[in-house]
Amino acid sequence: MMRTDWIRCTDCALRTKPVFRPLSDQELDYVIGLKADHVRFPARSHIVEAGESDGFIYTLYDGWAFRYAMVGETHRQILEFLLPGDLIGLKSPMSGRVRHSVCSITDVVVCALRERPLDSLVVGQPDLAKALFETLLIEEDRARDRLTLLGRQRASQRLAYLMLDLHDRLLKRDMALGDRFDFPLTYEMMADALGLSRAQLARSLVDLRERGWAMLHEGMLHFADRAAMADFCGYRAGRAMRRALL
């Protein structure tokens, strides 16, 4: 972890993306008051670990990360891939501690925000609080839908669904060039997110390529027939909404 150049909230590039809800002047002042630091983490390092309570939450400003839980001592289940604008380190309301660990995939930059009591947000900035809760609920619904489908799908369908979901999230952030986008996930990460072995994952990548739908090459994913792949795995984009950004 290292400090990086401070980026003022008023100059935040994420706030110009149409997917994020604009802040009122009062709300922006509130967020500025929360900001404590701007920090860089190298790839494959922990941003937070389960059980921590350091008094901060983080907004992922740049790069990719993932949230995961350990099953036993040796098996990792990746719960979600995190993209710029996503929150990291939200505490359990019961324990006051982070429930899941978060690890960087690429080099990442995060905004460190001082955690204040929830009632200060609800009372002081009710519109922002409502938008934040709606964002978290929509994300929870999206993750539940994906996990429900993954439990009933073949390996190739699971992989197709994950790719399409990530593509839509990137498009909303202007991080995809049409049907091509950077895809820094390793075989191990994809397998841990989809409940597959590396061999199953490799066969699934070949299957999608041979069907003429998607090709992964040197960290770049290219869709050749996105509609056919969506029909194959039952993917439907979630409803459009403007996300809360802290």
Side-chain angles (χ1 to χ4, degrees), residues 8 13 15 27 40 60 70 99 103-104 108 128 204 232:
R8 296 182 299 176
R15 300 195 187 280
E27 290 169 343
R40 181 181 298 276
L60 183 59
M70 294 301 298
R99 292 173 292 175
C103 185
S104 60
V108 303
L128 179 57
S204 298
F232 168 68

Side-chain angles (χ1 to χ4, degrees), residues 2 7 18-19 24 29 31 33 50-51 72 98 110 114 118 126 147 149 168 179 182-183 187 200 206 208 216 218 243:
M2 66 182 71
I7 297 175
V19 68
S24 68
D29 287 342
V31 174
V98 178
V110 301
R114 299 178 186 87
L118 187 60
L147 291 173
L149 287 169
D168 276 347
D179 288 335
D182 288 330
F183 195 81
Y187 277 32
Q200 287 175 308
V206 171
L208 296 181
L216 179 61
E218 295 184 350
R243 297 170 53 90

Side-chain angles (χ1 to χ4, degrees), residues 157-225:
Q157 291 174 303
R158 299 184 198 185
L159 179 59
Y161 197 100
L162 174 66
M163 289 175 168
L164 291 164
D165 180 52
L166 283 169
H167 185 226
D168 276 347
R169 294 172 64 199
L170 290 166
L171 283 172
K172 293 172 182 176
R173 292 165 168 80
D174 295 332
M175 292 177 62
L177 299 173
D179 288 335
R180 294 174 61 87
F181 57 99
D182 288 330
F183 195 81
L185 308 187
T186 65
Y187 277 32
E188 181 183 18
M189 291 172 191
M190 288 185 279
D192 286 352
L194 299 173
L196 302 175
S197 67
R198 287 175 60 92
Q200 287 175 308
L201 181 69
R203 288 195 296 270
S204 298
L205 285 166
V206 171
D207 183 29
L208 296 181
R209 184 179 70 243
E210 290 182 343
R211 290 174 185 264
W213 294 344
M215 178 179 294
L216 179 61
H217 180 66
E218 295 184 350
M220 180 72 70
L221 183 62
H222 174 241
F223 288 132
D225 194 338

Side-chain angles (χ1 to χ4, degrees), residues 22-203:
L23 297 181
S24 68
D25 291 343
Q26 185 181 27
E27 290 169 343
L28 185 57
D29 287 342
Y30 179 84
V31 174
I32 290 171
L34 296 179
K35 186 166 180 178
D37 213 341
H38 211 70
V39 183
R40 181 181 298 276
F41 290 85
R44 295 176 177 269
S45 58
H46 275 95
I47 301 171
V48 299
E49 296 193 58
E52 287 185 346
S53 179
D54 61 2
F56 293 94
I57 58 175
Y58 304 92
T59 296
L60 183 59
Y61 181 77
D62 187 42
W64 291 51
F66 63 84
R67 184 180 294 117
Y68 76 95
M70 294 301 298
V71 182
E73 296 184 357
T74 58
H75 297 290
R76 180 182 69 180
Q77 177 64 51
I78 290 180
L79 305 171
E80 180 67 286
F81 292 106
L82 304 176
L83 301 174
D86 288 335
L87 287 173
I88 296 171
L90 288 176
K91 312 300 188 293
S92 164
M94 297 299 293
S95 66
R97 296 183 180 277
V98 178
R99 292 173 292 175
H100 307 119
S101 300
V102 176
C103 185
S104 60
I105 297 172
T106 63
D107 290 351
V108 303
V109 176
V110 301
C111 296
L113 306 171
R114 299 178 186 87
E115 191 172 40
R116 291 182 178 174
L118 187 60
D119 56 2
S120 73
L121 176 61
V122 174
V123 174
Q125 304 296 332
D127 291 340
L128 179 57
K130 180 176 181 289
L132 179 60
F133 294 151
E134 288 177 347
T135 297
L136 296 176
L137 288 172
I138 292 296
E139 284 299 294
E140 184 177 321
D141 286 345
R142 186 184 62 79
R144 184 180 62 246
D145 290 344
R146 178 173 62 85
L147 291 173
T148 299
L149 287 169
L150 294 183
R152 295 178 175 272
Q153 290 178 322
R154 301 194 305 274
S156 295
Q157 291 174 303
R158 299 184 198 185
L159 179 59
Y161 197 100
L162 174 66
M163 289 175 168
L164 291 164
D165 180 52
L166 283 169
H167 185 226
D168 276 347
R169 294 172 64 199
L170 290 166
L171 283 172
K172 293 172 182 176
R173 292 165 168 80
D174 295 332
M175 292 177 62
L177 299 173
D179 288 335
R180 294 174 61 87
F181 57 99
D182 288 330
F183 195 81
L185 308 187
T186 65
Y187 277 32
E188 181 183 18
M189 291 172 191
M190 288 185 279
D192 286 352
L194 299 173
L196 302 175
S197 67
R198 287 175 60 92
Q200 287 175 308
L201 181 69
R203 288 195 296 270

